[in-house]
Amino acid sequence: MDTEVKRSLKLWHGIVALIVSAVLIFIAAPYIFAPLGIWGSLLGEWVLVVVCIAVIRFAKADVRDIFPLKTPRVVNSIGVVMMWIGVMLLEMALLCVIAVFFPEQFFGVQSGMQDQFMGIPLGMLVLVVAVTPAICEEVLFRGVFLNSLERGGWWKNRWISVVICGLVFGMFHGDWIRMIPTAIAGIVMSYLLLETGNLFYNCLFHFVNNLFSVLSVYFVQQIFSQLPPELNQGTELLESTQMPLATVGLYVFLSAAAPACIYIGNYLMHSKAAGYRKKLFPSKRADIVITLIAVSGILFLSGLVIMIYGMFVSPPILSL
């Protein structure tokens, strides 16, 4: 009989896993994985899992404790997708604002993603960009690292762990343009795991988020491929385009729906959880409704003003 006592991860265990992973991603990858193309990307992701398993075995921790997986409920999964919709609306509005002030960097990143995906079948893209990171990166960041923050940290407020994990997750994605929205998503995914105790839900969020990016880039490529040669300028067009203010206003306007999506999604995610409120809007918590209306109202009016200004005062100009 195995009487070995399973231990918890310490903070330094999570830091070691991050350091080894960073070396593999930023130093070794260009020489080992990059020459293999798309297969190298796939292999690199799964190497992260190997690193995590090695750290867990060294720490003599319980794998089931580090990677808690339970049977998901449909209503909880719908709540997670609702939360993703809200976060996605906020991220897109934020990216549009960034594009106004840093157009070269923003469109350079966008065209770089287009080039990476060029010529790769959609099914392979979904596997490499959506499915695999939703498993492997969650094992590293929300599994080993977040667990080490929670169990081995000296702080008592779990929001500190959530924010740190999200920020580190964002930094691992390289350039600061992608770091900001990725960090936001990382914070939400960390929250999902700590709230549900089920790794499935943050993996679902990660998968849906990456799948949306894959489909967006793929269908943009398909549109460009159908254009006549004289109009199909590919990445050169993207790199030289300034973000029209009317477009920024439109996305800020649409983000007014984000607070409601996140709130309702969070409620569905906690559906039938012990000790959680039974009503969507508790009768004695008018502050919740007031806050939601206030935030949505600010985003709605701000987007409307920017959109009108962009259409009638500062029309979109393409610097080709």
Side-chain angles (χ1 to χ4, degrees):
M1 179 180 297
D2 185 8
T3 58
E4 182 181 14
V5 177
K6 298 297 183 180
R7 303 172 182 173
S8 299
L9 291 180
K10 304 297 183 182
L11 182 57
W12 69 270
H13 291 139
I15 294 176
V16 167
L18 285 182
I19 292 175
V20 174
S21 299
V23 170
L24 290 171
I25 294 172
F26 298 111
I27 299 178
Y31 304 99
I32 300 176
F33 303 125
L36 301 177
I38 194 70
W39 294 105
S41 299
L42 192 65
L43 178 61
E45 291 283 346
W46 284 104
V47 167
L48 300 182
V49 177
V50 174
V51 171
C52 292
I53 297 298
V55 169
I56 292 171
R57 289 187 62 84
F58 175 82
K60 297 181 180 180
D62 190 346
V63 174
R64 293 170 297 181
D65 186 43
I66 309 301
F67 309 136
L69 281 172
K70 306 171 187 175
T71 303
R73 299 179 69 244
V74 174
V75 66
N76 300 125
S77 300
I78 294 174
V80 170
V81 175
M82 284 287 293
M83 290 187 70
W84 168 78
I85 292 173
V87 172
M88 180 267 297
L89 290 173
L90 291 176
E91 288 177 347
M92 293 185 70
L94 178 60
L95 285 174
C96 284
V97 173
I98 291 175
V100 171
F101 295 99
F102 305 96
E104 293 184 2
Q105 294 90 332
F106 175 81
F107 289 108
V109 170
Q110 295 299 102
S111 63
M113 291 178 62
Q114 293 254 0
D115 294 339
Q116 290 178 356
F117 293 172
M118 192 70 68
I120 301 176
L122 179 59
M124 190 63 177
L125 281 177
V126 171
L127 174 63
V128 176
V129 181
V131 176
T132 304
I135 299 172
C136 301
E137 292 179 12
E138 289 308 298
V139 163
L140 171 62
F141 292 100
R142 254 62 61 180
V144 170
F145 184 54
L146 182 59
N147 190 284
S148 72
L149 285 172
E150 273 288 278
R151 307 290 177 84
W154 56 85
W155 43 81
K156 295 182 180 180
N157 190 334
R158 64 167 41 188
W159 279 107
I160 296 178
S161 300
V162 166
V163 172
I164 291 176
C165 187
L167 292 177
V168 172
F169 179 67
M171 288 188 290
F172 262 73
H173 285 73
D175 60 87
W176 69 271
I177 296 291
R178 283 188 297 179
M179 184 190 78
I180 296 175
T182 305
I184 294 174
I187 290 172
V188 175
M189 287 186 285
S190 301
Y191 169 79
L192 287 173
L193 178 59
L194 294 186
E195 284 293 292
T196 64
N198 191 348
L199 194 69
F200 172 84
Y201 294 121
N202 46 294
C203 289
L204 174 63
F205 186 103
H206 200 146
F207 168 75
V208 173
N209 187 70
N210 286 20
L211 179 65
F212 177 78
S213 299
V214 168
L215 295 179
S216 299
V217 173
Y218 180 81
F219 286 120
V220 165
Q221 286 182 348
Q222 296 305 305
I223 292 173
F224 271 116
S225 67
Q226 299 301 319
L227 292 175
E230 62 273 14
L231 296 179
N232 187 1
Q233 300 180 46
T235 57
E236 290 80 8
L237 177 62
L238 288 175
E239 291 174 350
S240 60
T241 302
Q242 295 179 348
M243 178 67 69
L245 278 179
T247 302
V248 178
L250 175 61
Y251 279 106
V252 175
F253 178 85
L254 293 174
S255 70
C261 289
I262 295 173
Y263 180 81
I264 295 173
N266 185 61
Y267 174 79
L268 293 175
M269 186 189 71
H270 287 92
S271 179
K272 297 184 179 180
Y276 198 73
R277 59 178 180 270
K278 296 181 180 180
K279 293 183 179 180
L280 180 60
F281 297 106
S283 56
K284 296 182 179 180
R285 292 297 306 274
D287 58 311
I288 294 178
V289 178
I290 294 173
T291 302
L292 288 174
I293 293 176
V295 175
S296 295
I298 292 171
L299 292 172
F300 179 90
L301 292 176
S302 300
L304 191 61
V305 170
I306 296 172
M307 191 162 46
I308 293 174
Y309 180 84
M311 288 190 295
F312 297 105
V313 180
S314 178
I317 298 175
L318 299 183
S319 56
L320 300 179

